[in-house]
Amino acid sequence: MLSKKEKKLIKEMWERLTPVAEDIGSEALLRMFASYPGTKTYFSHLDISPGSAHLSSHGKKIVLAIAEGAKDISQLTVTLAPLQTLHAYQLRIDPTNFKLLSHCMLVTLACYLGSEFTPVAHAAMDKFLSAFAAVLSEKYR
Amino acid sequence: MVAWSDQERSIITSIFSNLDYNDVGPKALIRCLIVYPWTQRYFASFGNLYNADAIKTNPNIQAHGTKVLHGLDRAVKNMDDIKTTYAELSVLHSEKLHVDPDNFKLLADCLTIVIAAKMGSGFTPEIQATFQKFLAVVVSALGKQYH
């Protein structure tokens, strides 16, 4: 469960990261593809090479959706309703992959924020991304 | 037997040769205890772990974090047979310390984050993948003697 303090911290962090959504998002995806090659199977229809337009726009899309969810964490189910449907009925990405992307998102944030990515911030972020992934997979079955 | 390319070997040895074990070890362990608080169950005898500040300043945690990194060093120096190198350690963690092997991955992930924060953009996706491959072998070897 996220405390009030943690929700505030997460909201502020994603507000700061929104201007660099493209960079953060595409880096997280690249890290995921490098460490977990199986994840590339979901992107056979896109050009996911470093620096590609597809990678940038897709990375940006993902980060902006996460940032939107961070604005009001108590309303995650409402905010994510359309994305829940998309992932459950169209994309059908195996939910184990959400953990892999979340991990790579944390690594990206650590590289980007350095010592500012304190253990407390890391804990809050990990909890938030887990909650986000859980809500995202709610309509799967 | 795990196969390592020359590039992978050099990535691993390079990362570790640039680490201060007294700094990174404790940082990784502290992070693990804060991000995954249930891991504190193995450190009941270490004293005050009641909040993040207590964990960060606990001298027993500091010493133990350094010990863990020196343990990893043995794997770096024996990359071609980590399984044998860690056989005794695996028995220790299973028979004496009774650590759930799932926890090894949690600490490994925290170490990855600490290294990432330290290396910044130098921790490229390829270097991350190699580092995670190394830690996966370590984690597997540590769990090998459990029965």
Short mmCIF file of all heavy atoms in Angstrom, two decimals, chain A residues 27 30-32 34-36 50 103-104 106-108 110-115 117-120 122-123 126-127, chain B residues 27 30-31 34-36 52 56 105 109-110 112-113 116-121 123-126 128-130 132:
data_model
loop_
_atom_site.label_atom_id
_atom_site.label_comp_id
_atom_site.label_asym_id
_atom_site.label_seq_id
_atom_site.Cartn_x
_atom_site.Cartn_y
_atom_site.Cartn_z
N GLU A 27 14.63 4.47 -23.48
CA GLU A 27 15.74 3.80 -22.79
C GLU A 27 15.27 2.57 -22.03
O GLU A 27 15.90 1.50 -22.09
CB GLU A 27 16.45 4.76 -21.83
CG GLU A 27 17.78 4.19 -21.35
CD GLU A 27 18.48 5.08 -20.36
OE1 GLU A 27 18.56 6.30 -20.60
OE2 GLU A 27 18.95 4.54 -19.34
N LEU A 30 14.66 -0.18 -24.50
CA LEU A 30 15.93 -0.71 -25.02
C LEU A 30 16.59 -1.63 -24.01
O LEU A 30 17.12 -2.69 -24.35
CB LEU A 30 16.89 0.42 -25.37
CG LEU A 30 16.75 1.02 -26.75
CD1 LEU A 30 17.71 2.19 -26.91
CD2 LEU A 30 17.01 -0.02 -27.84
N ARG A 31 16.55 -1.23 -22.74
CA ARG A 31 17.14 -2.06 -21.68
C ARG A 31 16.40 -3.38 -21.60
O ARG A 31 16.99 -4.45 -21.43
CB ARG A 31 17.08 -1.33 -20.33
CG ARG A 31 18.05 -0.18 -20.24
CD ARG A 31 18.05 0.49 -18.88
NE ARG A 31 18.97 1.63 -18.87
CZ ARG A 31 20.28 1.52 -18.79
NH1 ARG A 31 20.85 0.33 -18.71
NH2 ARG A 31 21.05 2.60 -18.81
N MET A 32 15.07 -3.32 -21.71
CA MET A 32 14.26 -4.54 -21.63
C MET A 32 14.59 -5.47 -22.80
O MET A 32 14.77 -6.66 -22.61
CB MET A 32 12.78 -4.18 -21.63
CG MET A 32 11.88 -5.38 -21.37
SD MET A 32 10.13 -4.98 -21.37
CE MET A 32 9.81 -4.62 -23.08
N ALA A 34 17.34 -5.67 -24.47
CA ALA A 34 18.71 -6.19 -24.35
C ALA A 34 18.78 -7.30 -23.31
O ALA A 34 19.43 -8.33 -23.52
CB ALA A 34 19.68 -5.07 -23.99
N SER A 35 18.13 -7.11 -22.16
CA SER A 35 18.21 -8.10 -21.08
C SER A 35 17.23 -9.24 -21.24
O SER A 35 17.48 -10.35 -20.76
CB SER A 35 17.96 -7.43 -19.72
OG SER A 35 19.10 -6.76 -19.29
N TYR A 36 16.10 -8.99 -21.87
CA TYR A 36 15.04 -10.00 -21.98
C TYR A 36 14.57 -10.08 -23.43
O TYR A 36 13.50 -9.57 -23.77
CB TYR A 36 13.87 -9.64 -21.05
CG TYR A 36 14.32 -9.25 -19.65
CD1 TYR A 36 14.28 -7.94 -19.21
CD2 TYR A 36 14.81 -10.21 -18.77
CE1 TYR A 36 14.70 -7.57 -17.94
CE2 TYR A 36 15.24 -9.87 -17.49
CZ TYR A 36 15.19 -8.54 -17.08
OH TYR A 36 15.63 -8.20 -15.82
N PRO A 50 17.84 1.26 -31.73
CA PRO A 50 18.13 2.49 -30.96
C PRO A 50 17.97 3.73 -31.83
O PRO A 50 18.47 3.77 -32.96
CB PRO A 50 19.59 2.30 -30.54
CG PRO A 50 19.81 0.84 -30.54
CD PRO A 50 18.92 0.27 -31.60
N HIS A 103 11.19 -3.27 -13.97
CA HIS A 103 12.58 -3.36 -13.50
C HIS A 103 13.47 -2.45 -14.35
O HIS A 103 14.29 -1.69 -13.81
CB HIS A 103 13.07 -4.80 -13.56
CG HIS A 103 14.54 -4.96 -13.32
ND1 HIS A 103 15.12 -4.79 -12.08
CD2 HIS A 103 15.56 -5.23 -14.17
CE1 HIS A 103 16.42 -4.96 -12.18
NE2 HIS A 103 16.72 -5.23 -13.44
N CYS A 104 13.31 -2.51 -15.66
CA CYS A 104 14.15 -1.70 -16.55
C CYS A 104 13.83 -0.22 -16.40
O CYS A 104 14.71 0.63 -16.57
CB CYS A 104 13.99 -2.16 -18.00
SG CYS A 104 14.76 -3.77 -18.25
N LEU A 106 13.05 1.11 -13.49
CA LEU A 106 13.77 1.46 -12.27
C LEU A 106 15.26 1.67 -12.57
O LEU A 106 15.88 2.62 -12.06
CB LEU A 106 13.62 0.37 -11.21
CG LEU A 106 12.22 0.17 -10.63
CD1 LEU A 106 12.20 -1.05 -9.70
CD2 LEU A 106 11.75 1.40 -9.87
N VAL A 107 15.85 0.80 -13.39
CA VAL A 107 17.26 0.95 -13.74
C VAL A 107 17.48 2.27 -14.49
O VAL A 107 18.43 3.00 -14.22
CB VAL A 107 17.76 -0.24 -14.60
CG1 VAL A 107 19.18 0.01 -15.09
CG2 VAL A 107 17.71 -1.53 -13.81
N THR A 108 16.57 2.58 -15.42
CA THR A 108 16.66 3.84 -16.18
C THR A 108 16.62 5.03 -15.24
O THR A 108 17.40 5.97 -15.37
CB THR A 108 15.52 3.94 -17.21
OG1 THR A 108 15.56 2.81 -18.07
CG2 THR A 108 15.64 5.20 -18.05
N ALA A 110 17.40 5.06 -12.08
CA ALA A 110 18.63 5.08 -11.29
C ALA A 110 19.76 5.74 -12.08
O ALA A 110 20.49 6.58 -11.55
CB ALA A 110 19.04 3.66 -10.88
N CYS A 111 19.90 5.39 -13.35
CA CYS A 111 20.94 5.97 -14.20
C CYS A 111 20.71 7.47 -14.35
O CYS A 111 21.65 8.26 -14.32
CB CYS A 111 20.94 5.34 -15.59
SG CYS A 111 21.49 3.65 -15.60
N TYR A 112 19.46 7.84 -14.49
CA TYR A 112 19.11 9.24 -14.75
C TYR A 112 19.22 10.10 -13.51
O TYR A 112 19.73 11.22 -13.55
CB TYR A 112 17.67 9.28 -15.29
CG TYR A 112 17.26 10.58 -15.90
CD1 TYR A 112 17.72 10.95 -17.16
CD2 TYR A 112 16.41 11.46 -15.23
CE1 TYR A 112 17.35 12.16 -17.73
CE2 TYR A 112 16.03 12.66 -15.79
CZ TYR A 112 16.51 13.01 -17.04
OH TYR A 112 16.13 14.21 -17.60
N LEU A 113 18.75 9.57 -12.36
CA LEU A 113 18.69 10.37 -11.14
C LEU A 113 19.88 10.18 -10.20
O LEU A 113 20.05 10.94 -9.25
CB LEU A 113 17.39 10.05 -10.37
CG LEU A 113 16.08 10.33 -11.12
CD1 LEU A 113 14.89 9.71 -10.38
CD2 LEU A 113 15.86 11.82 -11.28
N GLY A 114 20.69 9.15 -10.42
CA GLY A 114 21.86 8.90 -9.58
C GLY A 114 21.49 8.78 -8.12
O GLY A 114 20.56 8.09 -7.75
N SER A 115 22.24 9.48 -7.26
CA SER A 115 22.03 9.34 -5.81
C SER A 115 20.66 9.87 -5.37
O SER A 115 20.20 9.56 -4.28
CB SER A 115 23.12 10.06 -5.05
OG SER A 115 23.15 11.41 -5.46
N PHE A 117 17.96 8.88 -6.52
CA PHE A 117 17.08 7.73 -6.51
C PHE A 117 17.38 6.93 -5.24
O PHE A 117 17.96 5.85 -5.29
CB PHE A 117 17.28 6.89 -7.78
CG PHE A 117 16.18 5.89 -8.03
CD1 PHE A 117 14.85 6.29 -8.09
CD2 PHE A 117 16.47 4.55 -8.24
CE1 PHE A 117 13.83 5.39 -8.32
CE2 PHE A 117 15.45 3.62 -8.48
CZ PHE A 117 14.14 4.04 -8.51
N THR A 118 16.96 7.51 -4.12
CA THR A 118 17.27 6.94 -2.81
C THR A 118 16.51 5.63 -2.62
O THR A 118 15.55 5.35 -3.35
CB THR A 118 16.79 7.90 -1.71
OG1 THR A 118 15.37 8.06 -1.82
CG2 THR A 118 17.48 9.26 -1.84
N PRO A 119 16.93 4.82 -1.61
CA PRO A 119 16.19 3.59 -1.31
C PRO A 119 14.69 3.86 -1.07
O PRO A 119 13.85 3.08 -1.53
CB PRO A 119 16.87 3.07 -0.04
CG PRO A 119 18.27 3.55 -0.16
CD PRO A 119 18.17 4.91 -0.80
N VAL A 120 14.37 4.96 -0.39
CA VAL A 120 12.97 5.26 -0.11
C VAL A 120 12.21 5.58 -1.40
O VAL A 120 11.08 5.11 -1.60
CB VAL A 120 12.87 6.43 0.91
CG1 VAL A 120 11.45 6.93 1.03
CG2 VAL A 120 13.37 5.98 2.27
N HIS A 122 13.07 4.57 -4.40
CA HIS A 122 13.06 3.31 -5.13
C HIS A 122 11.92 2.43 -4.63
O HIS A 122 11.15 1.88 -5.44
CB HIS A 122 14.44 2.65 -4.93
CG HIS A 122 14.60 1.26 -5.46
ND1 HIS A 122 15.81 0.61 -5.40
CD2 HIS A 122 13.75 0.38 -6.04
CE1 HIS A 122 15.69 -0.60 -5.93
NE2 HIS A 122 14.45 -0.77 -6.32
N ALA A 123 11.77 2.32 -3.31
CA ALA A 123 10.71 1.50 -2.74
C ALA A 123 9.34 2.00 -3.20
O ALA A 123 8.49 1.22 -3.64
CB ALA A 123 10.78 1.50 -1.21
N ASP A 126 8.83 1.30 -6.93
CA ASP A 126 8.60 -0.12 -7.17
C ASP A 126 7.15 -0.49 -6.82
O ASP A 126 6.48 -1.21 -7.56
CB ASP A 126 9.59 -0.96 -6.36
CG ASP A 126 9.61 -2.42 -6.78
OD1 ASP A 126 9.25 -2.71 -7.93
OD2 ASP A 126 10.00 -3.27 -5.96
N LYS A 127 6.68 0.04 -5.69
CA LYS A 127 5.31 -0.24 -5.27
C LYS A 127 4.31 0.33 -6.28
O LYS A 127 3.33 -0.32 -6.65
CB LYS A 127 5.05 0.36 -3.88
CG LYS A 127 5.65 -0.46 -2.74
CD LYS A 127 5.83 0.34 -1.48
CE LYS A 127 4.53 0.55 -0.73
NZ LYS A 127 4.78 1.15 0.60
N LYS B 27 25.48 -0.30 0.52
CA LYS B 27 24.38 0.41 -0.18
C LYS B 27 23.37 -0.59 -0.73
O LYS B 27 22.16 -0.37 -0.64
CB LYS B 27 24.93 1.25 -1.33
CG LYS B 27 25.46 2.60 -0.93
CD LYS B 27 25.61 3.54 -2.15
CE LYS B 27 25.93 4.95 -1.68
NZ LYS B 27 27.17 5.47 -2.25
N ILE B 30 21.45 -2.27 2.23
CA ILE B 30 20.53 -1.30 2.83
C ILE B 30 19.30 -1.12 1.94
O ILE B 30 18.16 -1.12 2.40
CB ILE B 30 21.26 0.05 3.01
CG1 ILE B 30 22.24 -0.03 4.18
CG2 ILE B 30 20.28 1.20 3.24
CD1 ILE B 30 23.26 1.10 4.23
N ARG B 31 19.55 -0.97 0.64
CA ARG B 31 18.45 -0.77 -0.29
C ARG B 31 17.50 -1.97 -0.27
O ARG B 31 16.29 -1.82 -0.28
CB ARG B 31 19.01 -0.54 -1.71
CG ARG B 31 18.00 -0.05 -2.72
CD ARG B 31 18.70 0.45 -3.98
NE ARG B 31 19.31 1.75 -3.77
CZ ARG B 31 18.80 2.91 -4.24
NH1 ARG B 31 17.68 2.90 -4.93
NH2 ARG B 31 19.42 4.03 -4.01
N ILE B 34 15.24 -1.92 2.69
CA ILE B 34 14.24 -0.85 2.66
C ILE B 34 13.18 -1.12 1.59
O ILE B 34 11.98 -0.94 1.81
CB ILE B 34 14.93 0.53 2.42
CG1 ILE B 34 15.74 0.92 3.66
CG2 ILE B 34 13.90 1.62 2.09
CD1 ILE B 34 16.58 2.18 3.48
N VAL B 35 13.64 -1.55 0.40
CA VAL B 35 12.69 -1.77 -0.70
C VAL B 35 11.88 -3.05 -0.49
O VAL B 35 10.71 -3.13 -0.85
CB VAL B 35 13.44 -1.83 -2.06
CG1 VAL B 35 12.47 -2.12 -3.19
CG2 VAL B 35 14.14 -0.50 -2.32
N TYR B 36 12.51 -4.08 0.09
CA TYR B 36 11.83 -5.35 0.35
C TYR B 36 11.91 -5.64 1.85
O TYR B 36 12.70 -6.51 2.28
CB TYR B 36 12.49 -6.47 -0.46
CG TYR B 36 12.62 -6.14 -1.94
CD1 TYR B 36 13.87 -5.89 -2.51
CD2 TYR B 36 11.50 -6.06 -2.77
CE1 TYR B 36 14.00 -5.58 -3.85
CE2 TYR B 36 11.62 -5.74 -4.12
CZ TYR B 36 12.87 -5.50 -4.65
OH TYR B 36 12.99 -5.18 -5.99
N ALA B 52 14.28 3.58 7.85
CA ALA B 52 15.33 3.73 6.83
C ALA B 52 16.62 4.28 7.43
O ALA B 52 17.71 3.79 7.14
CB ALA B 52 14.84 4.61 5.69
N LYS B 56 20.28 2.53 7.56
CA LYS B 56 21.43 3.15 6.89
C LYS B 56 22.63 3.31 7.80
O LYS B 56 23.77 3.31 7.32
CB LYS B 56 21.04 4.53 6.33
CG LYS B 56 20.21 4.47 5.07
CD LYS B 56 19.79 5.88 4.61
CE LYS B 56 18.72 5.77 3.54
NZ LYS B 56 18.06 7.05 3.26
N LYS B 105 17.59 -13.03 -5.58
CA LYS B 105 17.28 -12.20 -6.74
C LYS B 105 16.96 -10.76 -6.30
O LYS B 105 17.32 -9.81 -7.00
CB LYS B 105 16.10 -12.80 -7.50
CG LYS B 105 15.84 -12.02 -8.77
CD LYS B 105 14.92 -12.70 -9.75
CE LYS B 105 14.89 -11.97 -11.08
NZ LYS B 105 14.61 -10.52 -10.99
N ASP B 109 18.90 -7.53 -7.69
CA ASP B 109 18.24 -6.39 -8.34
C ASP B 109 18.65 -5.08 -7.68
O ASP B 109 18.87 -4.07 -8.36
CB ASP B 109 16.71 -6.54 -8.30
CG ASP B 109 16.21 -7.54 -9.33
OD1 ASP B 109 17.00 -7.95 -10.20
OD2 ASP B 109 15.03 -7.92 -9.27
N CYS B 110 18.75 -5.07 -6.36
CA CYS B 110 19.16 -3.85 -5.65
C CYS B 110 20.60 -3.49 -5.99
O CYS B 110 20.93 -2.31 -6.16
CB CYS B 110 18.98 -4.02 -4.14
SG CYS B 110 17.24 -3.92 -3.66
N THR B 112 22.07 -4.13 -8.79
CA THR B 112 21.99 -3.58 -10.15
C THR B 112 21.62 -2.10 -10.12
O THR B 112 22.22 -1.28 -10.82
CB THR B 112 20.97 -4.37 -10.99
OG1 THR B 112 21.31 -5.75 -10.99
CG2 THR B 112 20.92 -3.86 -12.42
N ILE B 113 20.64 -1.76 -9.29
CA ILE B 113 20.19 -0.37 -9.19
C ILE B 113 21.30 0.51 -8.62
O ILE B 113 21.53 1.63 -9.10
CB ILE B 113 18.93 -0.26 -8.32
CG1 ILE B 113 17.76 -1.04 -8.93
CG2 ILE B 113 18.55 1.19 -8.07
CD1 ILE B 113 17.09 -0.39 -10.10
N ALA B 116 23.81 1.02 -11.31
CA ALA B 116 23.24 1.92 -12.32
C ALA B 116 23.32 3.37 -11.86
O ALA B 116 23.71 4.26 -12.63
CB ALA B 116 21.78 1.54 -12.59
N ALA B 117 22.97 3.62 -10.60
CA ALA B 117 23.00 4.98 -10.06
C ALA B 117 24.43 5.51 -10.08
O ALA B 117 24.67 6.69 -10.31
CB ALA B 117 22.43 5.02 -8.65
N LYS B 118 25.39 4.63 -9.83
CA LYS B 118 26.79 5.03 -9.79
C LYS B 118 27.33 5.30 -11.19
O LYS B 118 27.99 6.30 -11.43
CB LYS B 118 27.61 3.92 -9.11
CG LYS B 118 29.08 4.21 -8.98
CD LYS B 118 29.81 3.06 -8.28
CE LYS B 118 31.29 3.32 -8.20
NZ LYS B 118 31.94 3.31 -9.54
N MET B 119 27.01 4.42 -12.15
CA MET B 119 27.60 4.54 -13.48
C MET B 119 26.81 5.44 -14.42
O MET B 119 27.31 5.82 -15.49
CB MET B 119 27.74 3.14 -14.12
CG MET B 119 28.81 2.29 -13.43
SD MET B 119 28.89 0.60 -14.10
CE MET B 119 29.43 0.89 -15.77
N GLY B 120 25.57 5.76 -14.08
CA GLY B 120 24.76 6.65 -14.91
C GLY B 120 24.64 6.12 -16.33
O GLY B 120 24.41 4.95 -16.57
N SER B 121 24.87 7.01 -17.30
CA SER B 121 24.71 6.61 -18.70
C SER B 121 25.75 5.59 -19.12
O SER B 121 25.60 4.94 -20.16
CB SER B 121 24.78 7.84 -19.60
OG SER B 121 25.99 8.52 -19.36
N PHE B 123 26.17 2.87 -17.73
CA PHE B 123 25.55 1.56 -17.53
C PHE B 123 24.58 1.34 -18.68
O PHE B 123 23.37 1.45 -18.54
CB PHE B 123 24.83 1.54 -16.17
CG PHE B 123 24.45 0.17 -15.67
CD1 PHE B 123 25.41 -0.80 -15.44
CD2 PHE B 123 23.12 -0.15 -15.39
CE1 PHE B 123 25.06 -2.07 -14.96
CE2 PHE B 123 22.76 -1.42 -14.91
CZ PHE B 123 23.74 -2.37 -14.70
N THR B 124 25.15 1.03 -19.85
CA THR B 124 24.34 0.90 -21.07
C THR B 124 23.45 -0.33 -21.00
O THR B 124 23.67 -1.21 -20.17
CB THR B 124 25.27 0.73 -22.28
OG1 THR B 124 25.98 -0.51 -22.13
CG2 THR B 124 26.26 1.88 -22.41
N PRO B 125 22.45 -0.42 -21.91
CA PRO B 125 21.61 -1.62 -21.93
C PRO B 125 22.42 -2.91 -22.08
O PRO B 125 22.12 -3.92 -21.43
CB PRO B 125 20.72 -1.39 -23.16
CG PRO B 125 20.59 0.09 -23.24
CD PRO B 125 21.93 0.63 -22.80
N GLU B 126 23.49 -2.88 -22.91
CA GLU B 126 24.29 -4.08 -23.12
C GLU B 126 25.06 -4.46 -21.85
O GLU B 126 25.17 -5.63 -21.48
CB GLU B 126 25.30 -3.88 -24.27
CG GLU B 126 24.66 -3.75 -25.64
CD GLU B 126 23.84 -2.47 -25.81
OE1 GLU B 126 24.21 -1.41 -25.25
OE2 GLU B 126 22.80 -2.54 -26.52
N GLN B 128 24.18 -3.63 -18.82
CA GLN B 128 23.16 -4.10 -17.87
C GLN B 128 22.85 -5.57 -18.12
O GLN B 128 22.80 -6.37 -17.18
CB GLN B 128 21.87 -3.27 -18.00
CG GLN B 128 20.76 -3.75 -17.09
CD GLN B 128 19.41 -3.12 -17.38
OE1 GLN B 128 19.32 -2.11 -18.08
NE2 GLN B 128 18.34 -3.69 -16.84
N ALA B 129 22.67 -5.94 -19.40
CA ALA B 129 22.33 -7.32 -19.73
C ALA B 129 23.43 -8.28 -19.28
O ALA B 129 23.15 -9.34 -18.72
CB ALA B 129 22.08 -7.46 -21.24
N THR B 130 24.70 -7.90 -19.51
CA THR B 130 25.84 -8.74 -19.09
C THR B 130 25.89 -8.85 -17.58
O THR B 130 26.09 -9.94 -17.03
CB THR B 130 27.16 -8.15 -19.62
OG1 THR B 130 27.10 -8.06 -21.03
CG2 THR B 130 28.34 -9.02 -19.21
N GLN B 132 23.47 -8.51 -15.46
CA GLN B 132 22.34 -9.31 -14.98
C GLN B 132 22.58 -10.79 -15.27
O GLN B 132 22.17 -11.65 -14.48
CB GLN B 132 21.03 -8.81 -15.59
CG GLN B 132 20.62 -7.47 -14.97
CD GLN B 132 19.25 -6.95 -15.42
OE1 GLN B 132 18.80 -5.91 -14.99
NE2 GLN B 132 18.60 -7.67 -16.32
#
